[in-house]
């Protein structure tokens, strides 16, 4: 297959983990005879330094002309004083909306080999976890009105959480359809005891659920869900929630599976160009040290192969290569528990080699 993948390495450890993912994609090209046409573009803080905006026109156009986008990470303390609308993180939100994307997917699997790296108590970790977090990313507080105004106590800042029924229906349908391919259980997470937007969310998910009588639906308040993910992670299958709650729960899932470096994710929409990238941020404290964990980025590349390119066998080969590498005992620092560890580039090379040898 000939295609075009736009790389947005971004800031901090973004370029290092992206390089790892590229090494694995190179191996897939060689092994299976594809040409992925990888092109890197500025994005986030580095784009801001270079052009004055975090999402330059050229970068956006390159993304629009590609089959899929692979992103590293954006942001860092260097850009902390930038106004919210121009911050590196805004590049991600603007790109999602420019590509018409609405669903953030994050599969969180606790690998048997990494049970000891999980933050969970051993007897809970042993129960395992295989969760798919589904976040709504086109509406909600990230995309609502933001601003400053005069309040009773002087100037105040505000961000609006708003959800249209059709927006909730669209993401709920996706969550139920995905649940049908898994353990057929959807946990919808909201704060319906307080928030009006959550009340509409819950009522809408209930209506959508009627079309999926074969899928079990449970509602949970986000506070309770945050607790139960740590006490009975094995009870969850698909977790459906808003962008902000999902962002928090995704980081919590990182502790469940052992490290935020392990988690892949993507943002997609039906028939749209998807964005793929690890859940972790730019980790400026370890940037440039070749100690990051590239597995989240590599598994994101595998999601890209399966979801945007339909290359399921290739994606499975990458997943398997990750498992093989972990089972051989290779660990990056974040999952090594103070024991011997390898560098980011070495981990990626080993996974790439295991793809070639599969
Ligand atoms: C993520 C990030 C983004 C999000 C931010 C940077 C917009 O935290 O992908 O998890 O919350 O969607
Ligand atoms: Mn996040």
């Amino acid at each position: 297959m000939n295609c075009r993948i736009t790389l947005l390495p971004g800031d901090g450890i973004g370029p290092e983990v992206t390089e790892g993912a590229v090494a694995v994609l190179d191996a897939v090209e060689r092994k299976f005879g594809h040409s992925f046409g990888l092109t890197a573009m500025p994005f986030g803080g580095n784009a801001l330094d270079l052009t004055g905006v975090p999402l330059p026109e050229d970068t956006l156009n390159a993304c629009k002309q590609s089959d899929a986008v692979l992103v590293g990470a954006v942001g860092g303390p260097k850009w902390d004083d930038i106004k919210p609308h121009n911050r590196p993180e805004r590049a991600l939100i603007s790109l999602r909306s420019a590509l018409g994307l609405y669903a953030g997917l994050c599969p969180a699997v606790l690998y048997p080999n990494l049970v000891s790296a999980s933050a969970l108590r051993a007897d809970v970790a042993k129960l395992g976890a295989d969760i798919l977090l589904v976040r709504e990313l086109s509406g909600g507080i990230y995309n609502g009105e933001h601003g400053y105004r005069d309040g009773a106590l002087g100037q105040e800042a505000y961000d609006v959480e708003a959800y249209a029924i059709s927006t909730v229906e669209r993401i709920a349908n996706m969550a139920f359809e995905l649940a049908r391919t898994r353990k057929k259980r959807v946990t919808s997470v909201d704060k319906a005891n307080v928030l009006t937007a959550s009340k509409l969310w819950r009522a809408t998910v209930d209506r959508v659920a009627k079309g999926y009588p074969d899928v079990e639906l449970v509602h949970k308040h986000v506070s309770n869900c945050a607790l139960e993910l740590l006490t009975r992670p094995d009870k969850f299958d698909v977790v459906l929630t808003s962008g902000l709650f999902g962002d928090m729960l995704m980081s919590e899932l990182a502790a469940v599976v052992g490290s935020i470096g392990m988690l892949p994710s993507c943002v997609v929409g039906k028939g749209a160009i998807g964005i793929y990238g690890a859940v972790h941020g730019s980790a400026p404290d370890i940037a440039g040290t070749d100690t990051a964990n590239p597995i989240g980025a590599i598994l994101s590349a595998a999601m890209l192969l399966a979801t945007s390119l339909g290359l399921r066998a290739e994606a499975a080969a990458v997943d398997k290569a990750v498992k093989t590498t972990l089972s051989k005992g290779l660990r990056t620092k974040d999952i090594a528990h103070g024991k011997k560890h390898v560098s980011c580039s070495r981990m990626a090379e080993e996974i790439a080699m295991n793809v070639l040898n599969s």
Side-chain angles (χ1 to χ4, degrees):
M1 162 188 280
N2 281 321
C3 67
R4 286 159 91 154
I5 298 176
T6 300
L7 300 172
L8 306 176
D11 311 313
I13 58 168
E16 294 161 58
V17 298
T18 305
E19 209 178 298
V22 168
V24 173
L25 287 173
D26 284 346
V28 172
E29 284 182 320
R30 279 168 59 196
K31 170 95 185 164
F32 295 89
H34 299 304
S35 169
F36 293 143
L38 303 173
T39 314
M41 298 297 286
F43 184 68
N46 62 85
L48 196 58
D49 290 348
L50 213 67
T51 69
V53 289
L55 176 57
E57 237 2 78
D58 285 352
T59 298
L60 178 58
N61 287 335
C63 292
K64 282 185 172 163
Q65 282 155 25
S66 53
D67 296 286
V69 177
L70 187 64
V71 64
V74 291
K78 186 174 173 196
W79 303 284
D80 270 354
D81 295 332
I82 304 281
K83 293 245 164 57
H85 73 278
N86 221 24
R87 282 183 65 98
E89 291 80 356
R90 273 283 137 194
L92 259 184
I93 297 175
S94 305
L95 182 62
R96 289 168 183 169
S97 95
L99 297 178
L101 309 179
Y102 56 88
L105 307 181
C106 171
V109 180
L110 175 50
Y111 287 91
N113 274 315
L114 287 186
V115 165
S116 65
S118 170
L120 300 180
R121 221 175 49 221
D123 58 317
V124 182
K126 249 193 277 164
L127 298 170
D130 183 356
I131 298 169
L132 177 64
L133 185 70
V134 179
R135 298 167 75 192
E136 206 304 315
L137 285 172
S138 70
I141 201 162
Y142 281 21
N143 302 283
E145 196 189 324
H146 312 280
Y148 293 90
R149 65 188 171 204
D150 291 326
L153 301 174
Q155 199 195 44
E156 62 185 22
Y158 65 94
D159 304 274
V160 176
E161 165 98 345
Y163 266 116
I165 292 175
S166 57
T167 306
V168 181
E169 281 173 351
R170 183 171 64 175
I171 195 75
N173 275 301
M174 183 179 276
F176 280 101
E177 274 159 30
L178 287 165
R180 271 190 170 155
T181 68
R182 301 171 45 98
K183 287 174 281 176
K184 298 192 170 58
R185 189 180 311 140
V186 170
T187 304
S188 176
V189 179
D190 60 39
K191 193 67 185 168
N193 51 346
V194 180
L195 303 179
T196 317
S198 280
K199 283 205 185 84
L200 177 138
W201 177 282
R202 193 176 276 221
T204 307
V205 173
D206 270 333
R207 264 198 320 279
V208 170
K210 294 206 169 77
Y212 302 86
D214 52 322
V215 179
E216 180 195 354
L217 169 66
V218 187
H219 294 284
K220 283 192 200 297
H221 292 142
V222 64
S223 41
N224 184 35
C225 181
L227 173 76
E228 290 187 8
L229 282 173
L230 299 182
T231 50
R232 286 307 302 266
D234 59 310
K235 282 198 156 177
F236 291 85
D237 178 22
V238 171
V239 174
L240 164 66
T241 193
S242 63
L244 182 61
F245 293 160
D247 187 44
M248 300 173 199
L249 295 178
M250 209 154 72
S251 291
E252 189 184 0
L253 285 173
V256 170
V257 304
S259 164
I260 196 156
M262 293 293 300
L263 282 186
S265 75
C266 66
V267 186
V268 295
K270 283 229 162 82
I273 299 157
I275 307 175
Y276 298 78
V279 166
H280 62 70
S282 60
D285 53 324
I286 58 162
T289 62
D290 198 17
T291 52
N293 185 344
I295 293 181
I298 290 168
L299 292 175
S300 300
M303 282 177 93
L304 182 158
L305 296 174
T307 311
S308 280
L309 306 182
L311 301 175
R312 297 194 174 275
E314 289 80 344
V318 174
D319 283 336
K320 191 160 158 254
V322 168
K323 287 197 184 105
T324 307
T325 308
L326 288 172
S327 70
K328 283 186 184 160
L330 259 80
R331 300 284 183 271
T332 40
K333 199 172 177 194
D334 56 318
I335 49 175
H337 257 323
K339 298 208 183 93
K340 210 177 133 232
H341 56 263
V342 299
S343 65
C344 174
S345 46
R346 171 86 178 79
M347 176 62 98
E349 275 160 27
E350 186 73 22
I351 295 170
M353 206 186 71
N354 282 325
V355 168
L356 284 173
N357 293 338
S358 64

